[in-house]
Every structure is written in structure tokens, then in C-alpha cells.
Amino acid sequence: MIGVAVTLLVSASKDMSSYATFSQAMQSSSAVKVVGTLSKDKEMYYNPAEDPNYFSFYIQDMDGEVKKVVLHEAKPQDFELSEQIVVTGKMRDDTFMASSLLMKCPSKYKDEEISVRSDISI
Amino acid sequence: MGEIEYIGEHLFPGQIGQFLIVLAFSSALFSAISYFFAVKNQDHPLEAATWRKMGQGGFILLAVSSFVIIGTLFYIMVQKYYEYEYVWSHVSDQLPFRYLFSAFWEGQQGSFLLWIFWHSVLGLILMRVSGRWEPSTMATLALVQAFLFSMILGLHITPDFKLGATPFSLLRESEGMTQLPIFNNANYLSMIEGKGLNPLLQNYWMTIHPPTLFLGFASVTIPFCYAVAGLWEGKYQEWLKPVLPWALFSGAILGTGIVMGGAWAYEALSFGGYWAWDPVENASLVPWLILIAGIHTNMVAKSTKHGIKATYTFYALSFFFILYSTFLTRSGILGDSSVHAFTEMGLEWQLVIFMASFGVLSLIQYFSKGRHIPVPEKEESFTSREFWMFIGSLVLLFSSGLITFTTSLPVLNKLMTFYGDLVGQDVSDWHMATPEDPIAHYNRFQLWIAVLIGILSGFTQFLIYKEKRWDQHKRKFWRNMLVCVSISVAVSFLTNLWMKAEGFAYLLLLFTTVFAVVSNLMYLGSVLKMKVKSAASVISHVGFGLMILGVMSSGINKTFISNNSFAMRGIFSPEDERIQKNVYLIKGEPLPMGGYMATYLSDTMIDNNRHYRIQFDKLDEDKKAIVETFQLEPYITYNKELTEMVNPNPSTRRYLHKDIFSHITAAPPKHISVEAAREEDDSLNYQSYSLSLGDTLQVEDLFFSLEELILQPTHPEYKPDDDDLAYGARLAGWDSTGRRYHTNPVLAIKEQRYIFSFYDDIPELGVRIRLTEEGLNKLYPLEQTLSYESYHQKLGDRFTVGDHKVTISGFDRNPEHRNYQPEDGDIAVAVILDIVSPSGEPFQVRPIFLIRENRTYMIKDYQPTLGLSSKFASIDPATETLELLFAQNDMEEVLFPVEIATDAPRDDFIVLEAIVFPGINFFWLGCVLMMGGMLLGMLRRMNWI
């Protein structure tokens, strides 16, 4: 019984990935996870009229390297606000082809401001 | 700086509430201690009875206090006393009453109170019904209550260390707020408004899901209390019977709470599923799985005395994992790996101590008492029911172990960092990230768990407890199995004609699932002789089978129908990242997708939601005739100021055998936020032009004409108010094809100072047109550009002004006019002039003559359609002659300014994702049966039925 449990746990932990950089992704033939931040000065492209399943943007990985990322989905809501982005996928030529994307956003409801009633001017 | 005397604060309810929290916390401790001594002094009945009375008193006091605390908090929320931080954080002026409950338990303190509430209710019942078990079970429950109250105590132990966070803290004293300048104003309360309930949570699920789940959480405590009581008193077997109804109740309610969470996610959120293996979902699933394992060993132990230790362990573990899940969701440790963790409140250490205390207490008890637990001399026989039920429980434990391991990765990483800090080593290399695809990861392992459970729950029914005559039974058993397996193979085969599962693992799962259903139904027929009252376990296990069947059919065959099938068929495999999930729909243009013609019909604002109506026409095989038509209405929710979208919400078409699920994945900027709309509009290249009514204007290769000026304009975004100054224009636009499109831009000035320009598009031509403020001056001409002519007439006279026929019809001594605000002492008279235009249209104007403080004024009336200004200059009392002034401006000649951009992107589109989930109703039906079976079992064991 314990043996089975250990085996299951060990094989489960093989699923755990660690974060890679773009240069590591370049060498890997399987899917990797790259963590980075959105390069806000570079182009973010989503034109649903042309293709509703094509969204491209640039992220800077932990080593500071900036690469283009292509995601074949609609542009996620509040993408510009993301603090950190994790993309899963493979490098193809010089572009990272992402199969999924996770982003960490600051909560919209945490900001410590006091909203003043709109009918009052101070 | 001196103390400020704040105006309008209501501090009294808070003081009452705070006092009661301290009182309740003390009563809980008092009750726990009293009950403890009631157990200790069992040999002295008189003393024990006194201690017991004190314990009861303490618990009743804490229960009543908790009800009053909840009532008080609810009261200040209803009253919208924003001086309290909790009220300010969760309530707003516009929040409808029906969401006040949701707002109540949106925050940490409210949800702790909800939990406490259920403990109080269950405790009062337990006190009444537990009989001789009262002192030993209630002692634990009161102690748990004391820990929970400590979470909302809000007492400063040292200046830096606070025990708990109270729901009655004041906004101006809360962290990060004290320095804000607004609190220097004694009258700050009249200026602030609450933040309100997160719009995501404004639905009825938020009203029913948390109370159910917390009742589930609270109910898990009771089996734990019994387990502790049994060992404590050394009555190792006696507790196994009274605990069982409580455990079954808990299993049913907690299970229902979890499934409700799934139903919420599926129905109201855009996850595209009912279960995402989110850490918070897992955190409540794990205690449930362990509890179910406990219920099984409990039944075994009650019948055979085998597995008492296991039952104790499972009940203690399920309670421990409730605390652990509380820690995970409330400490903020999950941070980036969960969508619905609470915000941090500095309660981490308190939660750790809570967990550790009960963990250590249980371990101590287990090791000091465990060896006294009687173990039957004979091992369970391989062919007995208890042996296989025990195996089943272990499988459930494995399942929870695997889930816990992955869910706890953030905790493990934190522990490693803690260890690294301790030994001064950087251990960040050891950190593990959560799996790339968590859903696939969990499913891969839980699939085998489901296979095992399916097999076990099928054949174990036919075994009996304490099997001694297997030789006599085995023929019958194997015969039953042969029948079950044969039927299951046939049914699986038939099911798979529809489900089309492929691969060994899925086929095996399908078979074992069907086997579970078939063999339980057979057991009901052949052994129980269709006595439904005794069929609790059959119902639950059939429910399990159907649930897995629903998971399989909706999961394996989930298909995105939102793709343009002509272009895509056969090019990509289902796993390919380039698979098309979204379609681009233009308003009014049908698009073929996944066997349907989809047409985006309209968008409408209802409260703070924008509803998109999309029509689906199902085509027959030849794609000629329409066989079915329905509409879906996914919508997006805005924040309370309506400036920004918060989230998209799905809309689902339900059939018995499948669901069609749809939601909006992208919308034009003007539907996303005010800022995005402005950004887009700013990027356009507007050019100014002037044209008069009927003129044609050429811009590049496009033509425009001004067809009409509208004085009471309408526009989808414009909400008219009484004192608005507004106009609209109707313009036609066309290109070389000659097809004319119409557009209706509007401009409005509100409160005489705010200018709003509501543009309008001709998406087909890529054109956006807006009006300017200058146009308003053309429509309402400036005084200095007009030359007035004077007319002297009497009441009833008819005369002509230019081409217009004018009649003086009467006077109005209480005149109303946009530019006239009556004051005391005014003498104001309006003259009523009926005017007929050259084309025969009737109009009426009412210029005012006003005497205020010995000075006379004329308030002019302007008729924009006629371009006629009229004034009432004076009245001669002797001759009753009026002096009227008229000025005419020619609307036909006036050049109106418009601004036209010819590079406007379309904004009459949506991007839609639509998914078909076949057989999802098996899932819901299975869940209902599973929980219903447990409730039936509970009632049965209480001898209620």
C-alpha cells in the first residue's frame, strides 16, 4: 500500500514543472513554462476582424530577454494590467508559440482609496 | 492636533458588537473548560452535573451572543454606516437589499461569523440530542468555537500583535487609512460612500453557496467531536453509532456545498466548466473525500469492530483538512495559483496555531489512547465486505493525498524557503511550480481512483460483513458478478456508440462506471427487493457512477462549435494550439459555425449588464432548411459606475442530453471601458466639415448628406435629463455603390457645463461621425447675430411675421421656462403665441416678461425648427397693447459643422466562444443522487423513516 502511494506521489511530482527562460526554451523540444513581464513599449496585436484566434505580444523573461509570444486565442481581459505572465508552449523560430497563458493581476478591489460621493464637490 | 469630534457616527452598535465578541470568546472558553471538568469528574455525578450545567450555560451564552453579533453587523450594513470598515468595504449606496447577505459573508470576518453561526446551531442541537455524550463532545466544539472567535477578536496583545480582526473596526482607524486627509474633516461621513459588493459576486449563487458550504464545514466538526469523545472516555465502540447520522449529514451538506460551487462556476462564470481543480475547490473536496472514507470505516467498525482506529483517524483528518483549507484560502499563501482566495489579513500565524493545536491534540490522544482500542483477533477475511470497504476508504485517502500534494506546492515552497533561511542556504532551486496543465494533471491520476471506486462500489455490495460461510455464498456471488459484468459490457458498448471514448484508460473507466451503476441496481432488485428506504448506499453509489459518466461524456466530447468549420475541418488535431475556439460575429451578418448559422442580433443594457442576443439556426444535413432556432444571451457585467467591464458571463442552452455554452471573449472598445473607447476615438483622424440641410459633401470617395436636425435626439448611450441642451443629426453616407447608410450622432450639454459627444458609426464604410458644440450655437443662435423687429398687438390679434401666421392666444401667469427660475417677489407673465408655419405646421412659443426688484427682463423663447426667436418686451396697461420682438434666422442657409473620420474600426462586432457539453446532466443527476443517498441514510439511521 505504502509502496503504491509513494509511486503515485513520485510520478505525480514529475508533472511539476519549473519555470524556464527563453534561451532554455530554445533548447527544449517539449513544452516549457516561461515566466516574465509584459513589454509595454512593444506592440500588442489583436485584430479580431482579421483573426479572432490570434493574439501576439512581447514579454521579457527573468534573464531580461524579450521575445514575441503568439497565443491562438482571444486577447484575455485586462491583459495590459498584468504584473506577471506565465506562458506555456514551445519556441518556433524566434517566436514563442503559447498553448496557454496565466497572468497575475492586481486586484481591482484592493485599492485603498475612498470614493467620494459623486454629487459632492470638495 | 486635538481630537476631532466626528459628525454623524454611530459608535454604539460597534461597541455592543465588540463587547459581545469578547463575551462570546470568554463564554466559549468557559464552556469548554466546564465541559472538560464535567468529563473529568464523571465518577462524582453531582459535581459533574454542576460542571455540565455551567458548560451548557457558557455555550448558550456564546450561541446567543453570536446571533446578536450577526444581527448587529447586519444592522449596521442595512443602515449603511460607512464609518465601519466592514460596511464600507462590502456595501454601497446602490447595493440592492437582496445582496446584503452576500455582502455579509463576502469578507473574512463575515464568513467566520457564518461558520460560527452554524457551529452554534449544531451545538445547540447536539446539546439536546447527544445525551450522555454531551460533555465530551461539547467540550471540543466549544474549544473550536473559542478558536474561531479569536479570529474576529481584534484585541491588541502587544502594540504590534493583534489577535484576530474584528468586523466592527472603524474605517478611520484601519490600517493605511489613518493618515488620509479626509479624516481631518469632522463631517467626512457625509462625503464617503462604500465600495460595495464585487459585481462578480452579485448573483444568487453567492447567496446560497457560502451558507451551504459553511454548514458543511461546521458539520465536519461534529464527527470529530464524537471521535475525540469516544477515545477520551475510553468508550471505543459506543460512539460509532450516534456519530453516523452526523457524519452522513455532513457528507451530504458539504458535498452539496462543493457541487454548488461547481454549478456557480459553470452557470455564472466563464471558466467553461464546473470544476477547474482550483486550489480552493480542492481544499474543500479533500475533507469531503476523507469524511466519506470515514463514513465507510465507521460502518465497518460498527458492524465488525474492525477499523475503529481508521475511523478516528479519518474523522480527525477531515476536520484537520477543513482547518487546512481555511488556512490555504485565508492566509493569502495561494496568491497567484487561485482565483478565489481571500485577501490577506495577517491571520496566518493564528491560523497555523489553530491547525497545529488540533493536529497535536489529536496525535497526543491517538498515541496515548490508541493502543487501548480493541482490535478483533481475527483479521478481516479477504472475502468479507469490510475488507473491501476498507480498501475503498484507502483509495479515497490516496486520492486526497495526491490532491493535497499538488495543491500544497505553494506551502511546500514556503516551508523550503523557511528552512533555507534557517540554515542560511538558498533553496529556490528546489521550488516547484504547479503543473503546466493542472486539469490534465489531476484528471490523469484521479481517473484511476475513479476506476477503483467504480469496481469496489459495484461488487462489494454483494459481499457480507463478517463472512464466515464463503463456501456457501461464493457460487451466488460469482453468478451475480457474471450477470453484472455481462450487462455492463453490453451497456458500456451501447453507451460508447454515443460517447465514442477511445483508448484503454477511458474505455476501462467507462466500463467500471457502468459496472458500478448496473451492479448497484441489481443489488437493489435482487437483495433489497426494491426497498428504497434501505437503498441509501445504492442511491449514492449509482449517483457516483452517473456523475463519472457525466464527467466523461461532457469532458471527452466537449467541442468548440465556435469555429468556421469550412475553413478548419481536419487541419488540426484537437490538442493543437491553433485550434479555433473563437468566432468574429458582425451585427446582423449570419455566420456558419459548427452546424449552426449564428447571428449577432443586438446588444442591450439592463442594469449594469450588457446583454448580447445571438440567434442560432440549426441547419439540416444539406445545410438548406432550418430545423431549430434559439437565442443565447451572454452578457458582460460593468462596475457600478458603468465605466469599465468587470467580467463576461455565459449563457447556456440546455437540452436533456447536452448543453450549448457560450460567452463573449472580446468586444469593441466602447463596450469594454470608457478609457478604451476614448483611446480608440483619440487615435482616429477626424476632419471638420460644414454642410447645410440637404447638402451633399464628398470626403475622399465617400458622400454624405445632412438630412435632418433632431431636437429631442436619442442615442443608445445618451440618457436625457430635463435641463439638457441637446441636438442630434441624421446623416446619410454612401460610396460609389450608391447604397445609403444612416447615422445619428448626438451632442448634449448637461448641467450647462459638461459637453458629451455621442458619435455614431457607419461600420460598413469605416466611418465615424460626431457633432460639435459649435453646431449648438447654429441651432440656438447667439443674440448678437440676430436683428429683431418690433410688433405692437393686442390679445386675440392675428398677424404675420415673415411667412409665419401668429395669434396671441393668452397669458400664463405661472410660466415655466428652461432659463427662468422663479424667485419670491417676481412678477412674471408669459404670452402664449400660436404660430403656423408656411407649410401649415402648428407651433407654440411662450416668451416671458419679468419684473424682478424693480427691473424688467425679457426671457426669449426660441423655436429651432422655425428658426424664430420671440421676446415679450412690454405691456401698456392703458391700451392693453403688447410689444413683441421677433427675429428670424434661416435654417436652410445655416452651415452645420460635423467631424468625420474615415478610418474608424468596426465596433458592431463580438468575439464569441461556444462549447457543446454532451451528457452534462448525468453529472448533476449523479451529484444529486450521491448527496440524496447520504441524507436518506442519515434519516434511516435516526429511525425517522
Side-chain angles (χ1 to χ4, degrees):
Chain A
M1 276 298 169
I2 295 166
V4 177
V6 170
T7 321
L8 274 177
L9 272 182
V10 168
S11 65
S13 56
K14 282 197 187 123
D15 268 5
M16 310 303 150
S17 47
S18 50
Y19 294 133
T21 57
F22 282 126
S23 56
Q24 286 164 326
M26 206 85 88
Q27 268 126 49
S28 168
S29 58
S30 59
V32 292
K33 262 185 166 180
V34 175
V35 61
T37 51
L38 180 66
S39 300
K40 291 189 179 156
D41 51 333
K42 289 235 159 96
E43 194 195 10
M44 225 184 293
Y45 188 82
Y46 183 62
N47 182 355
E50 189 182 281
D51 184 351
N53 296 293
Y54 181 95
F55 174 45
S56 77
F57 52 95
Y58 288 82
I59 65 175
Q60 184 172 34
D61 72 3
M62 309 250 260
D63 289 349
E65 197 174 351
V66 177
K67 283 269 182 282
K68 184 175 174 180
V69 179
V70 170
L71 177 73
H72 286 275
E73 272 177 45
K75 179 182 168 190
Q77 191 193 340
D78 292 333
F79 189 74
E80 296 82 353
L81 300 177
S82 65
E83 287 171 343
Q84 193 189 61
I85 296 172
V86 180
V87 281
T88 308
K90 294 174 189 169
M91 285 303 283
R92 197 173 294 158
D93 300 326
D94 206 33
T95 304
F96 190 85
M97 309 300 281
S99 59
S100 79
L101 176 144
L102 272 175
M103 51 181 204
K104 187 177 169 185
C105 276
S107 165
K108 282 187 196 168
Y109 294 92
K110 267 189 215 161
D111 45 341
E112 292 296 327
E113 332 180 316
I114 296 199
S115 62
V116 170
R117 279 174 207 270
S118 54
D119 53 352
I120 293 210
S121 43
I122 31 171
Chain B
M1 198 174 75
E3 284 283 303
I4 302 173
E5 284 280 332
Y6 290 105
I7 300 167
E9 289 188 336
H10 306 78
L11 302 184
F12 184 63
Q15 286 156 356
I16 295 258
Q18 187 57 37
F19 167 75
L20 287 173
I21 290 175
V22 178
L23 178 71
F25 172 67
S26 323
S27 315
L29 281 180
F30 174 79
S31 173
I33 292 167
S34 304
Y35 274 128
F36 177 82
F37 283 108
V39 180
K40 276 275 155 199
N41 292 305
Q42 260 173 349
D43 303 337
H44 314 282
L46 278 180
E47 276 181 47
T50 313
W51 283 116
R52 184 171 173 164
K53 280 247 147 49
M54 284 160 62
Q56 286 173 348
F59 197 89
I60 290 170
L61 186 59
L62 95 80
V64 172
S65 302
S66 69
F67 302 150
V68 180
I69 293 164
I70 288 167
T72 310
L73 185 57
F74 202 71
Y75 171 78
I76 61 173
M77 292 179 85
V78 173
Q79 296 292 332
K80 307 201 164 139
Y81 290 162
Y82 297 131
E83 55 270 43
Y84 294 99
E85 189 193 2
Y86 199 80
V87 179
W88 174 80
S89 300
H90 303 290
V91 179
S92 62
D93 285 355
Q94 300 90 350
L95 190 73
F97 183 82
R98 64 179 187 278
Y99 292 136
L100 267 176
F101 288 102
S102 307
F104 183 92
W105 44 67
E106 185 193 15
Q108 287 240 31
Q109 294 96 327
S111 60
F112 271 126
L113 276 170
L114 183 59
W115 194 358
I116 287 172
F117 170 81
W118 287 123
H119 270 151
S120 299
V121 172
L122 293 177
L124 293 176
I125 298 172
L126 185 66
M127 203 190 276
R128 292 221 145 244
V129 303
S130 54
R132 66 160 311 287
W133 293 102
E134 184 197 326
S136 48
T137 51
M138 291 296 292
T140 313
L141 185 60
L143 188 64
V144 174
Q145 285 283 66
F147 270 98
L148 284 177
F149 274 114
S150 79
M151 299 292 162
I152 55 164
L153 208 49
L155 281 188
H156 279 278
I157 305 299
T158 69
D160 298 328
F161 179 72
K162 204 169 71 167
L163 194 62
T166 167
F168 296 105
S169 64
L170 293 178
L171 180 62
R172 59 181 158 86
E173 287 171 357
S174 67
E175 210 173 312
M177 291 283 182
T178 43
Q179 299 306 316
L180 292 182
I182 192 165
F183 296 116
N184 293 333
N185 188 330
N187 198 18
Y188 79 94
L189 258 186
S190 64
M191 300 192 288
I192 63 168
E193 196 208 336
K195 288 200 289 189
L197 179 65
N198 183 339
L200 264 174
L201 304 177
Q202 294 190 14
N203 59 51
Y204 65 93
W205 289 108
M206 184 62 186
T207 313
I208 58 173
H209 168 59
T212 314
L213 193 66
F214 276 99
L215 175 57
F217 276 17
S219 64
V220 173
T221 315
I222 311 290
F224 172 66
C225 292
Y226 268 103
V228 170
L231 258 66
W232 186 8
E233 295 195 44
K235 300 197 182 307
Y236 301 109
Q237 288 163 38
E238 291 84 342
W239 67 280
L240 293 167
K241 190 165 184 283
V243 72
L244 202 48
W246 285 103
L248 285 165
F249 173 76
S250 183
I253 301 295
L254 183 59
T256 306
I258 295 168
V259 174
M260 271 185 188
W264 178 359
Y266 178 64
E267 195 197 278
L269 305 174
S270 294
F271 297 168
Y274 45 80
W275 194 259
W277 294 106
D278 179 273
V280 176
E281 295 172 346
N282 294 345
S284 46
L285 178 65
V286 165
W288 184 79
L289 287 173
I290 301 177
L291 181 74
I292 300 303
I295 290 173
H296 284 86
T297 57
N298 192 162
M299 285 193 258
V300 167
K302 196 172 111 299
S303 305
T304 69
K305 300 186 183 62
H306 283 289
I308 298 175
K309 278 187 193 177
T311 310
Y312 174 84
T313 312
F314 285 140
Y315 285 157
L317 268 180
S318 64
F319 175 68
F320 178 82
F321 274 101
I322 291 284
L323 299 185
Y324 183 63
S325 94
T326 309
F327 168 74
L328 283 182
T329 46
R330 288 161 193 266
S331 64
I333 198 164
L334 293 175
D336 46 359
S337 63
S338 170
V339 287
H340 48 348
F342 285 85
T343 50
E344 284 176 59
M345 288 204 57
L347 295 177
E348 299 82 32
W349 286 110
Q350 223 173 313
L351 287 162
V352 169
I353 291 168
F354 191 3
M355 251 190 317
S357 309
F358 282 95
V360 169
L361 281 176
S362 310
L363 284 175
I364 291 176
Q365 195 186 28
Y366 184 81
F367 283 109
S368 63
K369 296 275 188 161
R371 59 198 138 90
H372 303 303
I373 296 176
V375 181
E377 289 182 10
K378 205 166 154 285
E379 291 266 304
E380 307 98 318
S381 127
F382 187 64
T383 51
S384 69
R385 186 186 253 197
E386 58 265 31
F387 179 83
W388 292 104
M389 278 174 77
F390 199 72
I391 297 292
S393 303
L394 288 180
V395 170
L396 289 176
L397 188 68
F398 279 164
S399 163
S400 24
L402 285 168
I403 299 171
T404 306
F405 178 69
T406 311
T407 309
S408 303
L409 282 175
V411 182
L412 293 176
N413 286 341
K414 204 147 237 178
L415 282 176
M416 282 193 247
T417 311
F418 185 69
Y419 168 78
D421 290 347
L422 224 57
V423 298
Q425 191 187 337
D426 181 26
V427 293
S428 52
D429 284 356
W430 301 357
H431 283 188
M432 286 177 281
T434 44
E436 265 151 31
D437 184 351
I439 297 185
H441 160 80
Y442 285 108
N443 288 350
R444 186 151 58 243
F445 292 97
Q446 298 303 329
L447 185 150
W448 298 107
I449 302 285
V451 165
L452 290 175
I453 298 291
I455 298 173
L456 288 167
S457 63
F459 78 81
T460 310
Q461 290 281 28
F462 291 94
L463 297 170
I464 55 173
Y465 287 126
K466 294 192 262 190
E467 175 63 82
K468 293 205 179 69
R469 293 193 297 273
W470 174 245
D471 286 344
Q472 291 166 29
H473 292 147
K474 70 178 176 192
R475 267 184 66 91
K476 199 173 169 203
F477 174 80
W478 287 118
R479 202 176 56 228
N480 278 329
M481 281 304 107
L482 189 69
V483 176
C484 284
V485 170
S486 323
I487 296 179
S488 302
V489 168
V491 173
S492 303
F493 178 77
L494 290 174
T495 312
N496 207 39
L497 289 179
W498 165 68
M499 195 188 285
K500 300 189 177 70
E502 283 170 15
F504 173 69
Y506 284 147
L507 289 173
L508 181 65
L509 180 61
L510 175 61
F511 167 74
T512 54
T513 306
V514 171
F515 175 71
V517 175
V518 167
S519 48
N520 271 284
L521 289 177
M522 240 188 73
Y523 178 73
L524 176 67
S526 66
V527 182
L528 299 179
K529 309 289 180 213
M530 300 307 282
K531 274 189 294 186
V532 176
K533 273 197 238 169
S534 318
S537 77
V538 168
I539 294 173
S540 284
H541 290 131
V542 167
F544 170 79
L546 293 181
M547 181 192 84
I548 298 294
L549 209 59
V551 170
M552 285 187 77
S553 58
S554 64
I556 297 175
N557 293 329
K558 160 180 161 178
T559 40
F560 290 90
I561 56 167
S562 46
N563 53 50
N564 199 319
S565 41
F566 300 120
M568 296 305 303
R569 186 173 301 141
I571 299 177
F572 301 119
S573 71
E575 286 80 31
D576 196 289
E577 82 231 3
R578 288 162 296 173
I579 189 165
Q580 306 274 296
K581 294 178 180 165
N582 302 279
V583 285
Y584 176 78
L585 292 176
I586 294 171
K587 205 182 261 182
E589 287 186 17
L591 185 83
M593 58 172 236
Y596 294 87
M597 286 302 276
T599 316
Y600 162 31
L601 298 177
S602 63
D603 67 289
T604 324
M605 280 300 283
I606 301 173
D607 299 327
N608 65 336
N609 298 316
R610 187 187 295 275
H611 292 253
Y612 296 89
R613 263 196 317 140
I614 299 152
Q615 177 160 317
F616 287 78
D617 296 312
K618 189 168 176 59
L619 304 175
D620 67 0
E621 296 277 306
D622 309 333
K623 300 202 188 313
K624 285 195 183 110
I626 294 171
V627 291
E628 187 201 356
T629 292
F630 61 90
Q631 290 182 1
L632 288 176
E633 235 181 85
Y635 61 100
I636 54 184
T637 300
Y638 293 91
N639 60 2
K640 68 177 202 266
E641 295 83 14
L642 301 182
T643 54
E644 201 181 353
M645 152 183 172
V646 179
N647 69 306
N649 299 277
S651 167
T652 304
R653 165 86 175 171
R654 290 172 207 282
Y655 297 86
L656 207 55
H657 64 295
K658 69 174 180 190
D659 277 6
I660 298 173
F661 172 96
S662 69
H663 67 116
I664 305 281
T665 48
K670 67 172 181 183
H671 290 183
I672 299 297
S673 69
V674 170
E675 199 188 319
R678 189 165 45 223
E679 229 168 72
E680 186 202 60
D681 203 44
D682 285 350
S683 73
L684 298 184
N685 181 20
Y686 279 105
Q687 299 291 332
S688 299
Y689 305 93
S690 303
L691 69 173
S692 53
L693 273 170
D695 271 2
T696 298
L697 169 79
Q698 183 169 7
V699 178
E700 293 156 30
D701 53 350
L702 301 173
F703 302 90
F704 299 94
S705 103
L706 177 61
E707 296 190 335
E708 194 186 351
L709 291 162
I710 303 152
L711 296 162
Q712 259 134 19
T714 56
H715 187 279
E717 313 290 324
Y718 170 52
K719 290 191 184 63
D721 287 311
D722 281 347
D723 59 344
D724 284 359
L725 201 58
Y727 79 108
R730 180 176 151 90
L731 289 115
W734 64 94
D735 59 10
S736 53
T737 66
R739 182 163 171 202
R740 289 166 85 94
Y741 301 97
H742 287 97
T743 173
N744 298 285
V746 167
L747 184 119
I749 299 185
K750 285 186 176 289
E751 295 168 35
Q752 296 172 2
R753 47 186 166 150
Y754 303 114
I755 301 167
F756 293 88
S757 181
F758 301 97
Y759 56 73
D760 200 16
D761 289 349
I762 304 176
E764 292 83 356
L765 305 178
V767 162
R768 181 171 295 174
I769 301 182
R770 66 186 183 198
L771 303 177
T772 68
E773 195 193 346
E774 205 188 322
L776 213 50
N777 294 335
K778 302 279 184 179
L779 205 53
Y780 295 90
L782 295 172
E783 265 321 273
Q784 58 265 34
T785 63
L786 297 174
S787 53
Y788 282 91
E789 276 180 53
S790 168
Y791 291 77
H792 291 83
Q793 303 289 344
K794 290 187 181 177
L795 181 63
D797 281 357
R798 288 160 180 263
F799 55 101
T800 56
V801 174
D803 299 333
H804 309 300
K805 297 194 178 75
V806 180
T807 311
I808 302 177
S809 320
F811 297 101
D812 178 359
R813 287 172 204 287
N814 292 302
E816 282 176 18
H817 193 282
R818 179 203 304 284
N819 297 333
Y820 170 57
Q821 259 119 30
E823 281 179 21
D824 284 348
D826 279 2
I827 298 171
V829 183
V831 60
I832 302 167
L833 304 174
D834 280 304
I835 303 173
V836 179
S837 74
S839 62
E841 255 186 291
F843 294 92
Q844 193 175 71
V845 296
R846 295 173 172 224
I848 298 174
F849 176 73
L850 167 68
I851 303 173
R852 178 178 286 175
E853 288 167 4
N854 299 323
R855 294 181 61 179
T856 63
Y857 299 89
M858 293 181 284
I859 297 169
K860 95 168 186 184
D861 203 4
Y862 175 63
Q863 213 322 304
T865 316
L866 302 175
L868 187 68
S869 302
S870 51
K871 285 181 178 175
F872 183 6
S874 68
I875 182 162
D876 181 348
T879 60
E880 292 185 353
T881 306
L882 318 179
E883 185 189 0
L884 301 171
L885 303 174
F886 291 98
Q888 174 75 45
N889 60 319
D890 187 356
M891 296 303 286
E892 300 289 326
E893 311 255 297
V894 175
L895 283 171
F896 270 90
V898 289
E899 294 183 333
I900 300 178
T902 54
D903 57 349
R906 289 195 87 106
D907 64 355
D908 60 340
F909 73 91
I910 48 170
V911 176
L912 184 80
E913 185 173 83
I915 312 171
V916 174
F917 291 107
I920 195 166
N921 282 334
F922 279 125
F923 177 78
W924 305 118
L925 176 67
C927 291
V928 168
L929 288 178
M930 217 168 19
M931 309 316 159
M934 280 189 268
L935 279 182
L936 180 67
M938 175 191 94
L939 296 175
R940 183 81 177 147
R941 273 159 219 285
M942 292 163 71
N943 292 321
W944 282 14
I945 50 171

